[in-house]
Amino acid sequence: MTTAGEIMHAGAQWIPATETLDRAAQLMARLNVGALPISDTSERLCGILTDRDIVVGCVAKGHDPAKVTAGDMAQGTPRWIDAGADVSEVLEEMQSHQIKRLPVIRDKKLVGMISEADLAKHLTEDQIAGWAEKVYARS
């Protein structure tokens, strides 16, 4: 059985909900990632911030990324997966919610993220094709 913990990119880092988007963009650049899990004051997942959120949800609307916070951008119920979950559960979670990045949690702590690149490294072509078809399908 392949688990979420085995296919994830380890070392994911939170961005506090109170942090501004300009600082979030700087952290993304430093870490070379396109998304950051957003944490509340108790270090619980309250959302995911993507580079696209910053550009489309803030800059393109004329807002100042030095004044908008990560928490302002958090929408909906954040999705995550336990590190011990089977890869089939990972695929189901991502497909059913049409998400491309999934935080991995172990003992209530963030331990990694699963992205498209991680799936591409660890899944068969058929699994990737099935995943992409469901995640990118228009609802």
Side-chain angles (χ1 to χ4, degrees):
M1 170 175 100
T2 302
T3 66
E6 293 170 332
I7 67 170
M8 72 181 186
H9 177 83
Q13 189 170 332
W14 294 112
I15 186 84
T18 55
E19 192 61 81
T20 58
L21 298 186
D22 61 337
R23 298 286 185 164
Q26 292 165 6
L27 180 58
M28 286 179 186
R30 190 170 72 246
L31 298 174
N32 193 30
V33 298
L36 294 168
I38 305 169
S39 70
D40 64 14
T41 55
S42 301
E43 288 201 352
R44 289 181 308 208
L45 182 67
C46 64
I48 300 278
L49 178 67
T50 67
D51 48 7
R52 188 177 196 303
D53 293 332
I54 295 170
V55 173
V56 175
C58 179
V59 176
K61 292 183 177 177
H63 301 296
D64 183 351
K67 294 181 180 167
V68 178
T69 67
D72 292 336
M73 301 301 290
Q75 300 174 15
T77 303
R79 309 307 306 178
W80 58 274
I81 197 87
D82 184 86
D86 184 73
V87 71
S88 63
E89 295 173 70
V90 170
L91 294 174
E92 175 58 30
E93 185 69 16
M94 294 175 87
Q95 290 168 344
S96 65
H97 297 284
Q98 292 188 301
I99 55 177
K100 300 170 192 136
R101 298 170 179 102
L102 189 62
V104 180
I105 307 291
R106 179 181 293 127
D107 300 324
K108 299 183 181 180
K109 301 279 188 217
L110 177 69
V111 294
M113 286 278 276
I114 296 174
S115 69
E116 294 170 275
D118 299 311
L119 296 178
K121 289 179 197 171
H122 295 93
L123 302 179
T124 67
E125 287 184 24
D126 287 342
Q127 286 174 309
I128 294 167
W131 175 85
E133 182 179 334
K134 290 178 181 164
V135 168
Y136 286 102
R138 298 249 187 246
S139 297

